[in-house]
Amino acid sequence: MQPEKAERARPTVRLAFWSFFVRLFVIVLVLLELFLLGQLGKMGIPRRQKAGAFLFFSLHMIFYASAGAMIATAIATLVVHWVVRPVVLAWHRPPADGSDASFHLENREVAVESAPARMRRGRLWTVGTLVRTDRRLVFFPKAWDVEPVELPLDRIRSTRTEPAPRMFFGFVEGVPPRLVVVDADGAELVFTVAEPEAARARFCPRDSPLVSWIS
């Protein structure tokens, strides 16, 4: 992906509408058909008539299942848009302004880019600011008792994005992927930012020494 195209990319957290609807429709229809079989069994209808009655009422069950699944899918779409989406995007835009990053810069070092980010440390994510200067890539944690992590630009070997874990059994799509920076020794630094592809172009440009982009 070209950097100029990456700048136009925007995460769109949304419900996988048709995937959710079809699966919910099948589940509801199966439950309704089982309920119908149970009710027909209690009525004592002769076996020959039971098949016809089952087919007749099944048409009604298909309508009820589709209507119920459509209503539930519409409600789920609103929940994802108004509840899940803001939470996901807020998590990728942590409250870190990076105003104190200038205190950690070296003599005549200039900050080129900065963005709120989270960095993976084991199983936890540390809130902070990702900064690219004219010499290095630095992550400044928001917590005062956590040391910054830095990587000289000439030590960056490659960058890539990797998909975020599936949310709600994969029914929520558009969760921003993670930004992965690999150093010259093969160690990986993993970050979450609001717009990973755009951040990849800004923080790890193609013309940096030793950098190779992995699609």
Side-chain angles (χ1 to χ4, degrees):
M1 177 179 288
Q2 298 295 330
E4 58 271 17
K5 292 182 180 179
E7 291 291 346
R8 293 196 295 268
R10 295 293 184 273
T12 305
V13 180
R14 61 194 179 278
L15 179 73
F17 187 91
W18 290 111
S19 177
F20 184 86
F21 169 77
V22 170
R23 286 167 173 77
L24 185 59
F25 168 75
V26 171
I27 293 173
V28 173
L29 181 60
V30 169
L31 293 176
L32 288 176
E33 296 288 8
L34 291 175
F35 172 78
L36 177 60
L37 286 174
Q39 291 300 110
L40 292 177
K42 294 178 181 179
M43 292 180 179
I45 300 176
R47 182 172 300 180
R48 293 181 179 180
Q49 297 179 5
K50 184 180 296 186
F54 178 78
L55 292 176
F56 175 78
F57 287 109
S58 289
L59 297 176
H60 294 75
M61 297 304 176
I62 292 174
F63 172 78
Y64 295 144
S66 60
M70 184 59 70
I71 293 173
T73 303
I75 294 174
T77 299
L78 294 176
V79 171
V80 170
H81 182 78
W82 294 107
V83 180
V84 178
R85 179 176 177 272
V87 171
V88 170
L89 296 183
W91 194 85
H92 286 80
R93 295 188 180 98
D97 56 13
S99 58
D100 58 343
S102 58
F103 294 103
H104 299 275
L105 299 183
E106 299 175 353
N107 186 32
R108 296 184 179 179
E109 185 178 18
V110 179
V112 179
E113 298 284 354
S114 67
R118 295 177 190 266
M119 179 178 176
R120 187 168 66 190
R121 292 173 178 263
R123 303 181 67 176
L124 302 177
W125 293 87
T126 301
V127 175
T129 304
L130 185 61
V131 177
R132 179 172 75 88
T133 72
D134 55 346
R135 305 176 188 178
R136 55 189 175 144
L137 187 68
V138 192
F139 178 77
F140 295 105
K142 183 179 181 181
W144 62 269
D145 57 343
V146 181
E147 290 294 324
V149 177
E150 66 176 76
L151 181 61
L153 293 182
D154 59 2
R155 292 279 298 171
I156 299 177
R157 187 175 72 184
S158 64
T159 65
R160 69 176 189 274
T161 56
E162 63 179 25
R166 287 156 48 98
M167 290 188 62
F168 299 104
F169 306 100
F171 290 124
V172 175
E173 301 176 330
V175 179
R178 277 84 186 272
L179 173 64
V180 182
V181 180
V182 184
D183 67 15
D185 298 324
E188 296 184 348
L189 302 178
V190 183
F191 304 96
T192 63
V193 290
E195 299 170 12
E197 288 292 353
R200 186 183 182 195
R202 291 162 48 205
F203 289 92
C204 305
R206 288 180 183 272
D207 56 359
S208 292
L210 301 182
V211 174
S212 64
W213 276 39
I214 302 175
S215 299

